[in-house]
Amino acid sequence: MGPKKNPQMDNMEEDVEDIKTSLNFLKGELAAVRLQQSSILALVNEVKTLRIQNDEKDTKIADLENKVDELEQYTRINNVIITGLKIKPRSYARAVTADSEGGPGELDAGSTEQQVAAFLQSKGIHLNCNNIEACHPLPRKNNSEKPAIIIRFVNRKNKIALLREGRRLKGSDVYLNEHLTKRNAGIAKHARYLRKQKKIQNTWTTNCKVFIKLNGPPEEAKVLVIRDVAELDKYQ
């Protein structure tokens, strides 16, 4: 007669087999998780690399935009913008006559120069038209607006001399300003807002660069050149 079987031993053997099966299954699952984890880490590293590359591209683009803006501003370095001055066009008959005779048409540069020079002369400002390379109104959004007028001088000294006389126009609603790029004009506008809010003492432009003077005693207040509007955020 053979040995008597122990049911408890049989159950234990079955449990051991089940545990081995479960462990093998878990090993397989763990291997799959590790494989997925490796794939995820690879993707994370790839994303980091792409972000670094994008940041480098953004930096290069920003540098190129800065250089383009600097070049554009340099081409305007000899210009003055007059705002608030109403320019009268020549009569249609005179314009037609001039055109038929081979002369310049309506609102030609000479006519604009003469009217600008006459107005400035009435305010005690002498404008030598021989120093002007070009003078004409800029396009406007609608006919009800007074067009801004651009004067391009043959050299920077003439421009600076005219801007210094701008104080004589106080109370006339006519203003003389440097011809800033859209970017620098935005910086200057924001700086004027800070001055109005008394967050800074003063702001002005020189050679198409925007300067601000910080609050503080005159002998201690710093003067800074602002090249990006974000630099003004700290003075809000």
Side-chain angles (χ1 to χ4, degrees), residues 3-115:
K4 187 176 181 180
K5 292 185 178 181
N6 190 338
Q8 291 183 347
M9 291 297 294
D10 291 340
N11 290 336
M12 288 181 64
E13 290 177 358
E14 291 178 0
D15 290 342
V16 169
E17 290 299 322
D18 289 342
I19 290 172
K20 288 181 178 179
T21 302
S22 297
L23 287 174
N24 290 332
F25 176 77
L26 289 174
K27 286 181 181 179
E29 289 293 307
L30 184 59
V33 169
R34 286 176 176 172
L35 182 61
Q36 290 179 352
Q37 187 179 34
S38 298
S39 299
I40 291 172
L41 289 175
L43 289 173
V44 169
N45 290 330
E46 185 177 352
V47 169
K48 288 181 179 179
T49 301
L50 289 173
R51 284 179 177 174
I52 293 172
Q53 292 175 349
N54 284 336
D55 289 341
E56 291 175 349
K57 288 180 180 179
D58 289 342
T59 300
K60 290 180 180 180
I61 291 173
D63 290 341
L64 288 173
E65 289 176 345
N66 290 338
K67 290 179 181 178
V68 169
D69 190 81
E70 288 174 2
L71 289 172
E72 182 182 357
Q73 189 62 84
Y74 184 77
T75 63
R76 304 181 181 193
I77 199 71
N78 293 343
N79 299 353
V80 171
I81 296 294
I82 302 178
T83 54
L85 179 60
K86 186 176 182 180
I87 295 295
K88 297 179 180 179
R90 296 183 303 166
S91 68
Y92 177 75
R94 289 183 59 193
V96 172
T97 301
D99 288 337
S100 64
E101 294 175 354
E106 186 172 336
L107 275 178
D108 64 295
S111 174
T112 304
E113 282 182 16
Q114 292 166 9
Q115 293 182 65

Side-chain angles (χ1 to χ4, degrees), residues 98-210:
D99 288 337
S100 64
E101 294 175 354
E106 186 172 336
L107 275 178
D108 64 295
S111 174
T112 304
E113 282 182 16
Q114 292 166 9
Q115 293 182 65
V116 170
F119 171 79
L120 294 177
Q121 188 65 44
S122 71
K123 300 298 180 181
I125 303 173
H126 175 67
L127 180 64
N128 187 347
C129 292
N130 292 327
N131 295 327
I132 295 176
E133 182 178 317
C135 178
H136 59 82
L138 293 174
R140 50 185 169 175
K141 294 181 180 179
N142 57 68
N143 292 330
S144 63
E145 295 180 351
K146 295 176 182 177
I149 300 167
I150 181 173
I151 302 178
R152 180 188 293 274
F153 287 98
V154 295
N155 63 61
R156 201 177 307 177
K157 292 181 180 179
N158 303 133
K159 164 201 156 180
I160 295 172
L162 178 59
L163 289 174
R164 286 175 178 169
E165 296 294 316
R167 63 185 182 278
R168 296 179 181 269
L169 299 178
K170 188 174 182 180
S172 68
D173 293 329
V174 176
Y175 302 93
L176 303 178
N177 290 289
E178 294 192 287
H179 191 192
L180 302 178
T181 60
K182 183 177 180 180
R183 176 182 177 183
N184 284 337
I187 296 173
K189 182 179 179 180
H190 193 51
R192 290 194 299 270
Y193 172 78
L194 292 177
R195 178 182 62 188
K196 185 177 180 180
Q197 298 296 316
K198 298 183 178 180
K199 301 295 180 68
I200 60 175
Q201 279 196 52
N202 200 5
T203 182
W204 65 93
T205 66
T206 300
N207 287 330
C208 298
K209 295 180 180 179
V210 181

